[in-house]
Amino acid sequence: MLSETKFNILKQISGDFSRDETIWASGYLAGLAGSALTVQPTVTEQNLITENQVKKITLAYGTETGNSKKLATELAGIIKKKGIQVKLADLSQYKPKDLGKEEFFFMIISTQGEGEPPILAKKFYDHIHENEINLNHLKFGVLALGDTSYPLFCKTGEDVDFRFEILGAQRIIPLKKCDIDYEQDAHNWVEHLFDAVNKTSGTAKSNVLTTKTSSSRKTYSGTVSAIINLNDITSEKETYHIEIESEEPVIYKPGDALGVIPVNSRAVVSEIIELTGVDPQKQIETSKITASIDELLTKYLNISFLLKITVAQYAQITGHNIPEVRLSLLDLLRIYPVRSAGEFEQIIPVLTGQAPRLYSISSSLEAHGDTEIHITVAKSQFFIDDKKQSGLCSGFLSEFNEGESLEFYIQEAKHFKLPRPDKDIIMIGPGTGIAPFRSFLWERDATGSEGRNWLFFGDRNFISDFLYQSEILDFMKTGTLTHLDMAFSRDTPEKIYVQDKLKKKANEIFNWLEGGASLYICGAKEPMSKDVEETLLNIIQDHGKCTKEEAGLYLEEMELNGRYAKDVY
């Protein structure tokens, strides 16, 4: 009941109400009555509601072969099921300035080659290393994908993790480094991520779903069916076309690479065993495998060109004062010998695993079938103390005999692949850079692709170094190869390179690019690929009538759209 005072006020207010106003007022009062029945949260409860609001995180990925993207997509789905909003971001398109808007930033990134970032993530990588960004507000964590067969395991992930810390970001979960079997480690990392966000946001804990799938790379067994030196006997080079017959169907696409783990020289291993006096059959446990000393030195460990950190560990074990150098294990033993077989046994576990070598596949599944695969290998040769030496893997492969067995795997290339059959392509591949383009041409020939194909090839001499000469000329005759420009640098008084040929065809090249052509570069990173890219930028600037910066953005846009790709080494 109302008090008399309140009742009189109500009568005074409502006395002049119309019928509609009375109905509205009665409904309003009824609403107030209903809301009064709801218990209002206390101050503590209100704080809890604020703390329990769903947090938003960004999960970014930098990928070369697609593993980081695939994993990021899977983990984002798991995180969303646990009540956290996730923005999935590709580092190839992420704007570094947006880091200022982030609160939680988690990254999955792989490492390529000699500790380098994925090509499409390099712009982001370079930006954070070349600019002083204030990230004091940012909470972060890094999941690094790699392969322990490589010496610089997960280096890109380490670099990014360290750089974020230097820039002031708060690491809320430790850096996690994953080998090729990364699934379980990745799911454990997400659980830690979820816990870390919970501690900050106050959201309820819950177990993370785990859907274990195997990510082990498949190893194939094959037999070397042909090995041919593509250079003339007058050449200073040895470039081998190697054909491998597999025991089972091998699935790959033009642009993919074949991975091989080389075996160390039998003579070198025997000399190491003799110098150290170790029992070659004694079993030694390393971080990856337990095997006899002979097997470890022959098949599993890098003994040819040790990392500086490995040399430093060798010095620590042996007590020698060794400068910061990179030497082979055999040279170390000769110059700084071990005191006993037991001391050498302590050194074996600190040696890094034998790193696989990747070679662009130069055959086509459509043209050559699924049980035959080709690679093109330049034999690396150099002198040490006037003694001629060969590169480990190129020497290993070039010295194969027909009929010998070889194990290999396929490394998928996500960024280096053919466009639609009706699209034009420009291929720039001097030397062994021709390998993937031989695959491209065979594929387009076998499938009857309508797109035009333009090849720029170069080497030292036309007579001795025109790799795959008869095939390329046949492709010209049949029309599969519509344009061919060649540069043989030693055949003219003034050295001519592929970039010089590009300059002469600048107008036509720009027209092709404007018409939607895809452009590829394969071969030596230094100086070829940089010189070629600089020439391309000049062509775009001159013929597109734009600034250097705009030319760079033009090429960058092509790369983001999958129309510009490099496979350089």
Side-chain angles (χ1 to χ4, degrees), residues 426-487:
I426 301 172
M427 303 165 283
I428 305 166
T432 52
I434 188 66
F437 303 139
R438 179 179 185 263
S439 175
F440 281 15
L441 289 169
W442 274 111
E443 181 82 4
R444 289 202 138 192
D445 180 73
T447 57
S449 299
E450 298 173 2
R452 296 177 297 171
N453 308 302
W454 189 349
L455 174 65
F456 287 84
F457 174 75
D459 215 312
R460 292 184 178 178
N461 302 104
F462 176 87
I463 297 297
S464 57
D465 303 315
F466 189 173
L467 307 183
Y468 297 111
Q469 178 178 350
S470 61
E471 290 185 3
I472 290 173
L473 295 179
D474 283 344
F475 282 134
M476 282 293 293
K477 291 176 185 176
T478 61
T480 297
L481 188 56
T482 50
H483 290 66
L484 174 63
D485 283 270
M486 297 181 291

Side-chain angles (χ1 to χ4, degrees), residues 111 130 154 227 230 342 389 413 415 449 495:
T111 296
E130 294 169 1
C154 289
I227 180 165
L230 296 172
Q389 306 280 344
H415 72 285
S449 299
K495 292 180 180 177

Side-chain angles (χ1 to χ4, degrees), residues 313-324:
Q313 290 171 309
Y314 180 102
Q316 186 176 13
I317 293 169
T318 61
H320 288 295
N321 183 18
I322 305 175
E324 193 178 84

Side-chain angles (χ1 to χ4, degrees), residues 285-333:
E285 182 179 354
T286 69
S287 61
K288 295 285 287 183
I289 192 172
T290 298
S292 70
I293 291 175
D294 186 78
E295 284 182 296
L296 289 170
L297 295 177
T298 303
K299 298 180 180 179
Y300 300 109
L301 298 177
N302 171 36
I303 63 174
S304 60
F305 195 45
L306 306 187
L307 297 175
K308 290 179 182 178
I309 189 171
T310 306
V311 175
Q313 290 171 309
Y314 180 102
Q316 186 176 13
I317 293 169
T318 61
H320 288 295
N321 183 18
I322 305 175
E324 193 178 84
V325 293
R326 293 189 69 176
L327 294 170
S328 72
L329 180 60
L330 182 56
D331 287 336
L332 269 180
L333 290 167

Side-chain angles (χ1 to χ4, degrees), residues 20-244:
D20 290 340
E21 288 173 336
T22 302
I23 294 172
W24 180 89
S26 65
Y28 173 74
L29 293 173
L32 288 178
S35 63
L37 297 176
T38 304
V39 179
Q40 296 299 315
T42 64
V43 172
T44 303
E45 289 170 331
Q46 287 173 343
N47 290 340
L48 183 60
I49 290 171
T50 301
E51 291 175 356
N52 281 340
Q53 288 177 346
V54 175
K55 285 288 179 180
K56 297 179 181 179
I57 72 169
T58 294
L59 182 61
Y61 60 86
T63 188
E64 183 84 10
T65 64
N67 285 338
S68 295
K69 179 179 180 179
K70 178 182 175 184
L71 182 60
T73 304
E74 178 187 352
L75 297 185
I78 291 173
I79 295 168
K80 286 177 182 177
K81 289 179 180 178
K82 310 316 294 179
I84 296 178
Q85 294 181 20
V86 184
K87 179 178 74 176
L88 201 58
D90 184 345
L91 288 179
S92 69
Q93 301 179 41
Y94 186 85
K95 297 176 182 177
K97 66 179 182 180
D98 288 344
L99 286 171
K101 307 172 186 176
E102 307 282 6
E103 181 182 4
F104 294 96
F105 190 84
F106 299 96
M107 191 185 315
I108 302 174
I109 192 164
S110 60
T111 296
Q112 311 306 316
E114 295 296 322
E116 298 170 349
I119 290 175
L120 297 182
K122 192 173 186 304
K123 182 182 176 184
F124 177 88
Y125 178 91
D126 289 344
H127 185 91
I128 64 171
H129 282 85
E130 294 169 1
N131 295 276
E132 294 301 321
I133 312 166
N134 183 355
L135 298 183
N136 291 336
H137 64 285
L138 191 69
K139 302 172 185 67
F140 80 98
V142 177
L143 177 70
L145 300 187
D147 184 339
T148 50
S149 301
Y150 287 89
L152 299 175
F153 173 60
C154 289
K155 185 176 184 301
T156 298
E158 291 177 342
D159 290 348
V160 172
D161 182 82
F162 180 69
R163 185 59 180 167
F164 267 44
E165 182 180 42
I166 292 296
L167 295 173
Q170 178 189 351
R171 184 189 297 105
I172 61 172
I173 51 174
L175 168 70
K176 180 63 181 177
K177 297 191 286 187
C178 299
D179 203 352
I180 55 173
D181 293 316
Y182 54 73
E183 280 289 335
Q184 191 58 56
D185 284 339
H187 282 82
N188 291 339
W189 180 78
V190 163
E191 188 169 358
H192 293 152
L193 179 157
F194 190 72
D195 289 344
V197 173
N198 285 341
K199 288 177 183 177
T200 305
S201 65
T203 50
K205 274 180 134 181
S206 180
N207 293 327
V208 174
L209 299 174
T210 58
T211 53
K212 179 85 166 93
T213 58
S214 175
S215 60
S216 301
R217 65 186 175 209
K218 180 173 176 56
T219 299
Y220 297 91
S221 295
T223 302
V224 174
S225 58
I227 180 165
I228 303 164
N229 185 356
L230 296 172
N231 297 100
D232 186 77
I233 57 173
T234 61
S235 177
E236 299 173 358
K237 298 181 175 183
E238 293 179 32
T239 309
Y240 291 90
H241 170 77
I242 301 175
E243 299 182 2
I244 302 164

